[in-house]
Amino acid sequence: MRRFYRVSAMLLIAASAQAETDEPFAPLELPLTEISSPTGTPSTSYWQQQLSYKIDARVNTDKASLTATAVLNYRNQSPDTLKTLWFELPQQRFAQGSLAREKYQAGASEAGGTTRLRVTDSARQPLKTGWQDTLVAVTLDTPLKPGQQVQLHFAWDLKLVSRSHPLVPRSGYEQINGENRLLAFAQWYPRALRYGPQGWNLRPFVKNAEFSLEMADFSVTIDASPQYLLLGSGDWQSAGQNLPESVFKQYQQVSADTPATLLGPGQPWPVNNQQPWRFKGEQLRDFTFVVARDVIWQARKVTHSQGDILITAAYPDNGRWLWHKYALEAGVFAIDQLSEWLGQPAAKSIHLVNIAGLGMEYPGLKLVGFRGPDADITGPAPQYSRTQKYDVIGGILHEIAHAWMPMTVNTDERAEGFFDEGITSYLAFWLEQRWSENFQSFYGEPARVGAVMTATDYLPPVTFAEEVNSKLDSHYHVPAVALNILRETLLGRAQFDTIVADFFHIWRGRNAGFSDFVRFVNQQSGEQLDWFWRGWFMHRGYVDIELERAQVILPQDWNRDQKLAYLQHYPSAPSLTRIRNGDLGQTYEQRNPGLLDRHSLMDDQTYARLGAKTKAVEQPQLRVTLRNKGSIPMPAPLQLHYADGTVQSYLLSVDLWRQNPEQVEIMLSLAPDKAMSLLHLDPLLQIGDARRVNHRITQPEF
């Protein structure tokens, strides 16, 4: 039997990155498990556990709580015999005595979580359980051998905390006018931890390192107060019983043409139906639901070749004007664009819910906290800031991008938070720039990453999420910038887009790791990119390249007249005395032409340039010296400008740094009949250079 406690692949990567040489171009050592191939695809022996949940829950909206039971069928597809199964109840972060309360000194804050958990076997005999903060171990009476299945029965309760809680809940309730208006039940059932080739990931969920989950089938029945609308993951089985007849007819007729307002101003409310709400879902990463009252609920469809996708938006009716204008538009746009590129998402319907607090992604359900200004949606348009607008739209685009990562391709967020959030942040940036050329994007632009990577407390993306100083910088921004550079500068758009689409297709419904992505990109591109992954993801460092020198080299076989004719294109440095003496009229030599000779036609600077270095070349050359003052080698984009306005662009390969990673010299050919006016390094700010000093030379040396 293999090692029981899991050492995550990402921790192995981090350890190997620290242990290996600082040589930037050395081969990158990555862990390879039995479910992955050396080409970054699932191996022929790929496996993952098979689970199905049947859950019944009863919600008390006044107390923001529920009681529930579940039956779990767990089939062991691994090659190991399992004596213990591990589950997580992340709401235990809010229980008295939790690690999160202790670490963040939140002992006096509102308490929540589960106070009663009972686990029995198929004969309803109690099973031994053991808590490890947010994790719980269930010890089986009979070890579960490979290929065998076990049935577990759970009974539990749950108390939510406010969305404004200092421990930043991913679930919770929001009160409006003194009542629990919106309640998000997330991480609410005993969620099976992923068991992979390296065992279990048994680090509890404290704050930032999110979730390590198995995909599962779900059949969920929920009883809730009849005054509340309920939106959940999976396929809604009981809409005809849950909605008023007139609303259900509208729901059935939702199209891709125009948005439909199903509930809200002028629409029937409350829902007022006692029937339980029923949902089913196949191979979902999770199941989450929201109950809400007195909200506006809009819907529209996105037409897709593999079947239409329903998108709805639910938001409070007390003045959320930006949601009324932008929510469905942003949702439809994101699903349409990403479906075209990456294939259909796992969920057939996606609900956007505006609830105060931290944004969070779940299969078919996206929580977005950004709200915008208070203003009656039936009144005049309010004034709002640029940030308010793009927070709302960008928050929606980001959470919808999560429908592909990790909902379609599963990842271990606890071990590799940057892999999930980094790709999602890049996809969101990709969407934002298609939404508006002036979108206020917070992640993804190389020009903005230097200040992050040179900060004294910056840690590289590979760092465990609970240890990074800024998760938004290390796990969102830097990886998004790196992927932008990979697409725009290193591989090109067409190749990058094809590789990413193929990766999502091949790993759809499976568990992929960052090592798989690295191997897949390297294999499909045919490029040796270990230096890129090491510099941008695994080591603490930054890009800082300078133009140190640019020197003109003349052809050896040019005679004096040819050199002089070329040098006339380069004016001498100005002289204050000579300029002012121009007011005196002709010089003595000019008044006495017999004194003139060829030396009279050139100044000291031109005369000195006649002795410039030469080389056996057909036309003038520019010897350029580049210095790498950072720790990440990068290609060098250069623009050579001439005085007549013409421009020559170059992209020097990263290979130029292989022999000497600190300084290199390269030769560029110069036009023989015009002067260089500017040599510009990284003119489009595409390599993430942190300093951007000494990037321009306007006068070459001779």
Side-chain angles (χ1 to χ4, degrees):
M1 180 175 176
R2 71 188 65 222
R3 185 177 180 181
F4 181 70
Y5 290 97
R6 175 177 183 180
V7 178
S8 76
M10 206 62 254
L11 298 180
L12 289 175
I13 290 176
S16 64
Q18 293 171 359
E20 69 180 9
T21 175
D22 288 332
E23 166 55 46
F25 293 100
L28 191 62
E29 299 296 331
L30 295 173
L32 181 64
T33 68
E34 66 203 46
I35 67 172
S36 302
S37 76
T39 61
T41 60
S43 71
T44 55
S45 57
Y46 178 89
W47 56 267
Q48 66 187 50
Q49 307 294 55
Q50 291 186 359
L51 289 75
S52 65
Y53 282 93
K54 185 179 185 302
I55 305 176
D56 291 276
R58 181 175 294 274
V59 173
N60 185 321
T61 51
D62 292 336
K63 296 182 179 181
S65 65
L66 62 72
T67 58
T69 61
V71 179
L72 169 64
N73 291 307
Y74 189 111
R75 178 175 292 277
N76 181 16
Q77 297 290 94
S78 81
D80 304 327
T81 296
L82 303 178
K83 176 63 176 176
T84 303
L85 300 181
W86 282 88
F87 299 84
E88 70 167 4
L89 283 162
Q91 301 301 325
Q92 296 309 99
R93 293 175 67 225
F94 307 104
Q96 297 293 351
S98 71
L99 289 175
R101 281 183 177 275
E102 180 180 347
K103 181 174 182 178
Y104 296 103
Q105 300 179 352
S109 61
E110 179 185 13
T114 294
T115 58
R116 177 183 63 88
L117 173 67
R118 185 169 184 266
V119 186
T120 59
D121 61 19
S122 57
R124 300 304 178 96
Q125 295 301 306
L127 293 173
K128 181 182 177 181
T129 59
W131 284 93
Q132 185 175 303
D133 199 49
T134 62
L135 308 180
V136 59
V138 177
T139 302
L140 304 176
D141 288 337
T142 302
L144 189 62
K145 295 180 179 180
Q148 290 184 338
Q149 178 173 296
V150 66
Q151 185 177 89
L152 302 180
H153 293 254
F154 297 88
W156 73 99
D157 60 18
L158 176 67
K159 171 66 173 66
L160 297 181
V161 298
S162 169
R163 293 279 292 178
S164 62
H165 196 284
L167 290 181
V168 192
R170 270 65 170 177
S171 59
Y173 63 86
E174 178 183 1
Q175 287 194 338
I176 298 175
N177 297 330
E179 69 173 3
N180 294 337
R181 184 79 67 84
L182 297 107
L183 303 95
F185 287 90
Q187 302 106 44
W188 60 283
Y189 62 95
R191 305 194 302 173
L193 283 183
R194 181 183 174 230
Y195 184 79
Q198 294 159 327
W200 308 94
N201 187 336
L202 297 182
R203 293 194 178 197
F205 174 42
V206 181
K207 182 181 179 181
N208 289 323
E210 290 179 331
F211 310 116
S212 175
L213 301 174
E214 298 281 4
M215 288 190 167
D217 295 339
F218 290 89
S219 176
V220 181
T221 300
I222 304 167
D223 280 306
S225 171
Q227 287 79 37
Y228 284 76
L229 172 70
L230 196 151
L231 301 172
S233 301
D235 298 326
W236 190 2
Q237 304 291 300
S238 57
Q241 291 78 48
N242 301 141
L243 297 175
E245 183 178 356
S246 59
V247 178
F248 179 62
K249 287 182 179 179
Q250 282 186 284
Y251 178 81
Q252 287 183 305
Q253 294 169 1
V254 170
S255 70
D257 299 329
T258 55
T261 299
L262 303 175
L263 292 169
Q267 302 294 327
W269 194 273
V271 174
N272 197 24
N273 197 298
Q274 298 287 349
Q275 296 292 330
W277 304 69
R278 300 190 306 275
F279 300 86
K280 284 186 180 292
E282 294 182 356
Q283 285 301 283
L284 299 181
R285 174 182 158 90
D286 198 358
F287 187 94
T288 303
F289 67 96
V290 168
V291 291
R293 65 171 297 167
D294 297 328
V295 295
I296 298 169
W297 185 37
Q298 297 174 305
R300 191 172 169 184
K301 284 187 176 179
V302 179
T303 301
H304 191 273
S305 60
Q306 300 177 29
D308 290 350
I309 302 167
L310 174 71
I311 181 163
T312 80
Y315 51 94
D317 61 351
N318 56 338
R320 309 313 170 193
W321 194 86
L322 288 177
W323 271 72
H324 182 72
K325 184 173 183 178
Y326 291 115
L328 275 189
E329 289 289 343
V332 168
F333 167 77
I335 293 171
D336 179 68
Q337 294 286 306
L338 291 177
S339 295
E340 182 70 23
W341 179 15
L342 304 177
Q344 194 173 32
K348 297 178 182 177
S349 59
I350 294 178
H351 306 289
L352 304 171
V353 179
N354 178 218
I355 181 172
L358 185 71
M360 193 63 195
E361 69 281 357
Y362 301 98
L365 188 68
K366 313 299 175 185
L367 308 182
V368 181
F370 300 113
R371 188 162 280 170
D374 289 343
D376 188 341
I377 62 171
T378 61
Q383 293 295 317
Y384 51 83
S385 70
R386 176 179 175 83
T387 298
Q388 282 180 312
K389 172 184 176 180
Y390 290 119
D391 273 349
V392 168
I393 301 171
I396 290 171
L397 298 182
H398 181 92
E399 301 306 342
I400 287 183
H402 271 303
W404 282 266
M405 176 75 79
M407 304 309 165
T408 302
V409 174
N410 196 8
T411 67
D412 185 345
E413 294 177 285
R414 186 149 300 157
E416 301 183 334
F418 78 97
F419 182 38
D420 156 74
E421 293 294 356
I423 287 186
T424 295
S425 296
Y426 174 74
L427 296 178
F429 172 78
W430 183 87
L431 289 169
E432 290 166 358
Q433 298 304 303
R434 281 161 172 73
W435 177 278
S436 169
E437 63 181 353
N438 295 314
F439 202 101
Q440 188 181 27
S441 293
F442 293 100
Y443 316 124
E445 278 289 5
R448 301 179 58 188
V449 81
V452 168
M453 299 179 74
T454 54
T456 56
D457 61 350
Y458 167 72
L459 292 171
V462 73
T463 309
F464 180 54
E466 301 293 0
E467 298 170 359
V468 294
N469 299 294
S470 172
K471 184 179 179 182
L472 295 180
D473 287 335
S474 296
H475 284 193
Y476 291 64
H477 187 29
V478 172
V481 167
L483 293 173
N484 184 348
I485 291 172
L486 188 61
R487 181 179 191 247
E488 301 286 8
T489 299
L490 301 181
L491 299 184
R493 291 187 167 193
Q495 186 178 40
F496 176 87
D497 291 354
T498 298
I499 290 172
V500 172
D502 289 346
F503 183 82
F504 274 88
H505 173 73
I506 289 170
W507 285 97
R508 185 180 182 90
R510 293 171 169 164
N511 299 288
F514 180 63
S515 295
D516 298 310
F517 185 70
V518 169
R519 289 191 175 94
F520 191 80
V521 174
N522 287 353
Q523 175 73 21
Q524 296 299 308
S525 68
E527 299 286 345
Q528 208 291 334
L529 295 169
D530 288 359
W531 61 270
F532 169 78
W533 307 113
R534 175 184 288 106
W536 281 93
F537 290 90
M538 298 176 183
H539 283 185
R540 184 175 182 272
Y542 55 88
V543 178
D544 184 8
I545 301 175
E546 291 186 0
L547 267 178
E548 188 172 81
R549 190 182 186 193
Q551 182 183 30
V552 175
I553 309 296
L554 299 178
Q556 284 181 350
D557 59 355
W558 273 13
N559 59 36
R560 178 187 177 88
D561 290 339
Q562 287 175 300
K563 292 180 181 179
L564 187 59
Y566 177 76
L567 294 176
Q568 296 304 318
H569 295 295
Y570 289 89
S572 296
S575 164
L576 180 62
T577 298
R578 291 169 60 191
I579 291 174
R580 288 178 174 175
N581 282 348
D583 297 334
L584 302 178
Q586 290 185 325
T587 63
Y588 187 76
E589 271 190 332
Q590 289 170 334
R591 294 196 302 271
N592 297 275
L595 301 177
L596 294 173
D597 63 10
R598 60 189 178 89
H599 297 297
S600 303
L601 301 179
M602 71 183 80
D603 57 27
D604 290 345
Q605 191 171 6
T606 302
Y607 179 76
R609 288 172 175 174
L610 283 173
K613 290 184 178 181
T614 61
K615 191 175 181 180
V617 292
E618 295 183 357
Q619 63 188 75
Q621 302 286 306
L622 188 68
R623 177 183 289 164
V624 179
T625 303
L626 296 170
R627 181 170 293 277
N628 184 8
K629 303 181 74 173
S631 58
I632 303 178
M634 288 295 287
L638 289 173
Q639 278 188 355
L640 180 61
H641 294 248
Y642 289 99
D644 66 355
T646 56
V647 179
Q648 181 70 49
S649 296
Y650 304 87
L651 180 61
L652 307 182
S653 169
V654 71
D655 291 335
L656 74 127
W657 302 107
R658 287 187 181 272
Q659 289 188 343
N660 185 346
E662 296 181 358
Q663 179 177 304
V664 296
E665 287 187 350
I666 55 100
M667 302 291 287
L668 303 178
S669 294
L670 290 171
D673 57 350
K674 49 189 174 183
M676 181 204 101
S677 61
L678 171 67
L679 183 64
H680 196 175
L681 171 65
D682 193 24
L684 302 180
L685 309 181
Q686 68 191 76
I687 60 173
D689 199 299
R691 306 293 186 191
R692 297 207 294 273
V693 296
N694 298 333
H695 274 204
R696 298 164 64 95
I697 291 179
T698 56
Q699 286 286 339
E701 301 175 25
F702 283 85

